Amino acid sequence: VNVGLGGVEIGVGPCYFLLLLAIAKGIKTGKKRQQSNNPPVSATVLITSFVLYAVASAFICPFLFKGVLISNPKLGIDVPLELGTGHLNQLVYLSMSFCLYLVAAYGTSPAELTKSLNWFIGGAVLASFIAMYQFDSMKSGLPFPSEYLHTGNYAIFEAYEIDGFPRMDSTFTEASAAAFTFTVALALALWRLLSGNLALKNVTNAAVILIGLLLTLSTTGYICLIYLGLVAAAIYLFRWKGRPELRVTKLLLGLPILLTIFILFGITDVRESIVKLAHTVLLDKTQSSSYTDRTQMNVNAFKTAGETDLCGAGWGITRASSFIPTVLANVGLPGFTLFFAFCFTLLKPA
């Protein structure tokens, strides 16, 4: 959602509007809420330390490492680092995200968190349906209301074709952004299925999100999909529970899936399309201009991290194509260590 501040438009994610609602609800209910399942104190200490370091880096690092070359889509490639204000809006996003963590960790009950996950999965299902309609509109000529669905203040990469395969972005700024959301939602849906909740709703959600993910033609999304498939298969086949005959039943239930795959690969047109798609999205990806540009962005980010003595150029100043190079280029090794220690501490109990 675009918000005008002093004549400048900034993009604000819907989750930040939910933050306002959560705070308002917290004020209304006061201390009546029963807290439970709070995260480890060490996790909160780590993320707080990360935020403080990131805020300090935004003001200190540009002064300490003035002139170091940075890369940012808005500023350009290999631009000298200098102290400015263009990146300070990222501090606002960081602060709001930190507040969201505090609300989720200390102001939300387990039931409310479960409901939030339900809404997230539901949103991914809706976006997947929109991607399907986008695919159909691209093939049939039906109108696609971009003026209502693509309202970001950044450039929107509309649906297009890669080697004859349509690539959908649904309501997202680009297909890779859609793939990121679909991958997380699919992981949640699969976990519910593998946990024994085989309700038709969960099966339908997983199937619809899978279709949406496939329509993005995102290399990262497809790699994550392969990973999810292998993990899901391993849990399904090797996490035995119950009597031996139930194990045999599990294997028998998996046979229709394998049989369907063999039948599809037996059809020449289908097999050739799948092979061509695999080359387009995965096998020949290193030969594409997109891969070259993204790789160079990552290389530039690593250079920035090295030339700032692994302290980083400052929060929100530089961008890369991948997450780890972006973190190192912005907040260096200290910020990298704090953030991933937080992630490990938070996920360890699971």
Side-chain angles (χ1 to χ4, degrees):
V1 179
N2 291 343
V3 176
L5 294 176
V8 178
E9 277 195 346
I10 62 172
V12 180
C15 61
Y16 298 127
F17 291 101
L18 296 179
L19 172 62
L20 297 177
L21 295 177
I23 294 175
K25 183 178 180 181
I27 295 174
K28 181 179 179 180
T29 57
K31 297 183 179 180
K32 297 179 181 180
R33 182 185 301 277
Q34 296 294 323
Q35 303 297 336
S36 59
N37 295 331
N38 287 340
V41 175
S42 56
T44 301
V45 171
L46 286 168
I47 194 60
T48 302
S49 301
F50 170 79
V51 171
L52 292 175
Y53 177 82
V55 172
S57 71
F59 296 97
I60 298 174
C61 291
F63 174 76
L64 293 177
F65 305 106
K66 183 178 181 180
V68 170
L69 298 181
I70 63 170
S71 294
N72 186 305
K74 286 189 174 182
L75 301 177
I77 306 299
D78 290 337
V79 178
L81 174 63
E82 59 182 5
L83 184 61
T85 59
H87 64 287
L88 297 184
N89 63 321
Q90 297 298 324
L91 293 179
V92 178
Y93 297 139
L94 177 65
S95 301
M96 291 192 294
S97 297
F98 180 60
C99 290
L100 276 176
Y101 164 77
L102 294 178
V103 169
Y106 297 101
T108 308
S109 67
E112 289 171 328
L113 287 176
T114 300
K115 187 179 294 185
S116 298
L117 292 179
N118 292 340
W119 277 103
F120 176 74
I121 294 174
V125 170
L126 176 60
S128 296
F129 276 122
I130 292 175
M132 294 179 201
Y133 177 78
Q134 188 179 30
F135 175 87
D136 186 58
S137 66
M138 189 174 184
K139 291 294 185 180
S140 63
L142 289 172
F144 185 78
S146 298
E147 61 274 18
Y148 298 107
L149 297 177
H150 291 164
T151 58
N153 61 325
Y154 291 99
I156 299 295
F157 297 92
E158 299 280 0
Y160 60 95
E161 289 191 354
I162 303 178
D163 292 341
F165 294 103
R167 188 181 195 193
M168 305 297 106
D169 61 350
S170 185
T171 60
F172 296 83
T173 54
E174 58 177 325
S176 59
F180 175 80
T181 298
F182 292 155
T183 299
V184 176
L186 180 59
L188 293 172
L190 286 176
W191 178 251
R192 291 183 173 182
L193 291 175
L194 293 170
S195 298
N197 191 349
L198 299 177
L200 179 61
K201 178 181 178 181
N202 292 330
V203 176
T204 303
N205 287 344
V208 172
I209 296 171
L210 173 62
I211 296 174
L213 178 57
L214 292 174
L215 289 175
T216 64
L217 297 189
S218 167
T219 300
T220 303
Y222 275 46
I223 292 175
C224 291
L225 176 60
I226 293 172
Y227 172 77
L228 288 176
L230 293 175
V231 171
I235 293 175
Y236 180 81
L237 294 175
F238 300 114
R239 191 178 177 182
W240 298 119
K241 290 182 179 180
R243 300 184 303 275
E245 54 266 28
L246 294 179
R247 304 177 186 179
V248 176
T249 302
K250 270 193 171 186
L251 288 174
L252 293 177
L253 289 174
L255 288 178
I257 298 177
L258 294 176
L259 182 61
T260 301
I261 293 174
F262 281 122
I263 291 176
L264 289 175
F265 269 89
I267 303 175
T268 303
D269 291 342
V270 174
R271 182 177 65 253
E272 291 179 351
S273 295
I274 294 175
V275 171
K276 182 181 177 182
L277 179 63
H279 277 277
T280 299
V281 179
L282 297 171
L283 302 179
D284 297 337
K285 183 64 177 180
T286 57
Q287 301 175 16
S288 66
S289 58
S290 171
Y291 178 85
T292 302
D293 294 340
R294 292 174 183 269
T295 301
Q296 188 59 50
M297 292 276 294
N298 290 336
V299 170
N300 292 344
F302 283 125
K303 286 182 179 179
T304 299
E307 293 175 0
T308 55
D309 300 328
L310 296 181
C311 292
W315 178 261
I317 290 180
T318 184
R319 273 189 58 190
S321 175
S322 302
F323 183 69
I324 290 179
T326 299
V327 173
L328 287 172
N330 281 280
V331 290
L333 189 58
F336 177 90
T337 303
L338 288 170
F339 180 78
F340 282 99
F342 159 74
C343 294
F344 176 78
T345 304
L346 194 63
L347 297 175
K348 186 178 179 181

